[in-house]
Structures are given as C-alpha cells and as structure tokens.
Amino acid sequence: MSRDLSKLFNPKSIAVVGASQFPEKVGAIALKNIILSKFSGQIYPVNPTILNVASMKFYPSLSDLPEIPDLVVIAIPAKLVINVLEECGFLGIKNVVIFTAGFKEVGKEGELLEKKIIEVAAHFNINILGPNCLGFASTSPSINVTFGQVVTNPGNLKFISQSGALAASLFDWCQSTSLGFNDLVTIGNKSVINENDILRHWLSDLTQPSTPLKPVGLYLESIAFGQDFIKILKQITPNNPVFILKPGKSPSSVAAMRSHTGSIAGEDKVFDAALREAGAIRCQELGDFFDLAQALA
C-alpha cells in the first residue's frame, strides 16, 4: 500500500514539540533550521514551560495550537514520546518526525517503546519518520527539518540514509564541494516509514527521462521488504541511476549495525545479485559513495 507523504515532505504548517530557548538543544536547532531554510508556512514551537522567545510565541501543547499542523516534529525524551504521539492521533495529525533516540537500538526496554510507537501509528494511521533519525531536507521547495548543518545549494541528487551521522557527513561534504542536492531523507529505526515508502513517493519524478539525471544514493543498514525494494529499483534505474552503500560483509559491521539502529544484516551475496538484476550500483566503501554522487551529479 502506498503512503501519502505529500504533506510530510511539503507541509504548510509545522509544530516542533520540544522547541527550546537553549540553543544547544535539539528542538532549538531544529526550529532554527526550519526558520533559516525560509520555510514559507506556519511554524508553531511547543513547550509547556516557555511563553515566547525573541517575540516568537510558544504553545503549551499541540491541543493549544490555532490549527492542526501538517507535520509535527518531536524532540523530547523517549519516555514522553508515546503521549505526544497519542495526542497527535486524537487531533488527527497524520505526519510526524521523531528525532528522539532510545528505542530498539538500545535494547529490550527501548524495543518495547518502539513497538508501542508502531501500534499507535497503525491505530491512528500516522506516517512516522524515525525514531532516532536526523529528519529531512529539500531545496525544492526549500525546507530543512533536521538538527544538522544547513545546506542551501540546489542540485539534482536525492539521498536516503538510515544513519544520521552519514547524513551529517553528506551535508558537510555538499558544503565543502559546493555540490547541491534535491532531497535528503534520514529514516533511523524506520519503525513506520521505510526506504520503499520514500522511493515510491519519488517515483513519478524518477521514472521519467530527464536532463540532468536525478541520481539516487542510499545508505541502508537493513532492507525492509527486499522483493518490494528490488521491484521499485527496477522502475527507477532505466531512467535514473541508483547507487547503494550497505555494510554487512563482516561480523564486526553486523554487530555495529545492530547496536546503531537495531538492524541485522541479511545474506550479502543474495543482496549483491538482486542489485545487479535491478540495475543498481553497489558501493564498496564510503569513498565510492561520495565519488559516485559527485560524478553522477
């Protein structure tokens, strides 16, 4: 089933739960990035302990907002996320980005919390990006819903990353090389939205011949639904190149992925063969990934 992600990635209004007056806090950085990206819609900072910051009004809860926002960004401790998510459901909010870490990547207790996220999302039909993600950014239209480096150079590259750290490196690299991008989405633990959902959202843009090309780069520590993933790639690669970096060739990398986003690497040789069949390029290391991005751009 295809998800409608249009208002997630192109919202007219955004609420930031956990917005803060302290500039080092994730919620404060995210709020600042949304503003600096020249987002043209309404922005609602939400924090029950703050009235206003620099003439910007804060709201005590989502229920106190003057409208139902298209997108809610959550940057609060893990134990508080479920209550806010349920509030989103009761208010009819359908799109949420969860920056918060502390879920299945940290062990049994976090895994139970994440299962609850999945249950609430299913009950209220909420699209959730994350948890444990850096968010997303686009240059067309201009929006930066991340707590990372602001990137302003428009370009034709599209990225999906399961790692926020790699996405931050991409931001830095784009800045240092003056290379632009079109879309960058981080999926973290991908409890609800996975790489297939995002690729489907991009399909109408990627299945048409275009000049310049619209290359798609993916960093994935696991594949959500392998057959579906390959089927989508086969629709994209006749018109636009897809290049993928996926660790998992060694026992140490498998262990690292399990501790990072709760992922378990699949059979690597099967994955290689499937990518060849789909016409996608498998990168062997991070250097290959950056080199291909620059060459294809």
Side-chain angles (χ1 to χ4, degrees):
M1 181 185 72
S2 295
R3 293 180 175 275
D4 182 1
L5 303 182
S6 55
K7 288 188 177 180
L8 191 157
F9 293 120
N10 190 18
K12 302 302 181 190
S13 53
I14 303 174
V16 181
V17 178
S20 175
Q21 62 194 20
F22 300 106
E24 73 279 5
K25 296 285 189 179
V26 168
I29 298 169
L31 179 62
K32 181 181 177 182
N33 279 352
I34 293 168
I35 295 169
L36 288 178
S37 69
K38 296 184 172 64
F39 172 66
S40 60
Q42 293 295 317
I43 305 170
Y44 300 110
V46 176
N47 190 317
T49 65
I50 302 173
L51 292 177
N52 57 70
V53 174
S55 76
M56 192 171 198
K57 182 180 178 180
F58 276 58
Y59 295 84
S61 72
L62 291 171
S63 301
D64 295 298
L65 299 181
E67 65 173 312
I68 302 301
D70 287 339
L71 174 63
V72 169
V73 177
I74 297 179
I76 55 177
K79 63 182 179 181
L80 304 177
V81 168
I82 300 300
N83 287 341
V84 173
L85 200 56
E86 288 177 336
E87 186 180 14
C88 288
F90 288 122
L91 291 172
I93 294 164
K94 295 300 181 185
N95 300 291
V96 175
V97 174
I98 304 177
F99 291 150
T100 312
F103 293 93
K104 69 180 179 183
E105 79 280 2
V106 300
K108 192 67 178 177
E109 187 177 345
E111 187 176 354
L112 291 174
L113 271 178
E114 189 159 333
K115 283 182 179 178
K116 183 63 176 175
I117 284 177
I118 295 168
E119 289 170 7
V120 173
H123 180 73
F124 292 105
N125 193 28
I126 302 174
N127 298 316
I128 296 178
L129 193 63
N132 185 29
C133 76
L134 188 70
F136 71 92
S138 176
T139 57
S140 180
S142 179
I143 186 171
N144 186 353
V145 184
T146 76
F147 55 97
Q149 173 77 29
V150 178
V151 177
T152 56
N153 298 332
N156 59 329
L157 291 163
K158 292 178 179 288
F159 292 108
I160 298 173
S161 176
Q162 198 168 349
S163 164
L166 182 74
S169 297
L170 279 168
F171 277 135
D172 293 340
W173 177 71
C174 284
Q175 292 288 74
S176 65
T177 59
S178 298
L179 194 68
F181 77 97
N182 181 230
D183 292 293
L184 188 149
V185 183
T186 68
I187 50 181
N189 291 7
K190 52 183 181 181
S191 64
V192 176
I193 294 174
N194 57 49
E195 59 277 7
N196 296 341
D197 297 313
I198 297 161
L199 289 172
R200 277 198 203 94
H201 176 68
W202 291 343
L203 265 183
S204 61
D205 193 29
L206 293 173
T207 52
Q208 305 297 324
S210 62
T211 304
L213 292 171
K214 295 173 182 174
V216 180
L218 301 101
Y219 173 84
L220 299 171
E221 296 173 352
S222 65
I223 307 298
F225 298 96
Q227 290 183 341
D228 196 22
F229 178 67
I230 296 301
K231 192 179 296 183
I232 296 169
L233 292 188
K234 286 180 177 179
Q235 295 178 67
I236 297 171
T237 54
N239 293 297
N240 287 290
V242 177
F243 56 105
I244 300 172
L245 178 63
K246 180 183 179 294
K249 288 181 176 293
S250 68
S252 59
S253 65
V254 173
M257 286 186 293
R258 187 178 288 113
S259 65
H260 182 210
T261 56
S263 300
I264 300 175
E267 176 54 55
D268 204 65
K269 289 181 180 178
V270 173
F271 183 67
D272 267 345
L275 286 185
R276 283 195 297 272
E277 182 186 343
I281 304 166
R282 175 82 182 267
C283 301
Q284 298 303 310
E285 58 183 16
L286 191 57
D288 295 344
F289 190 80
F290 286 136
D291 287 345
L292 271 172
Q294 191 160 21
L296 294 170

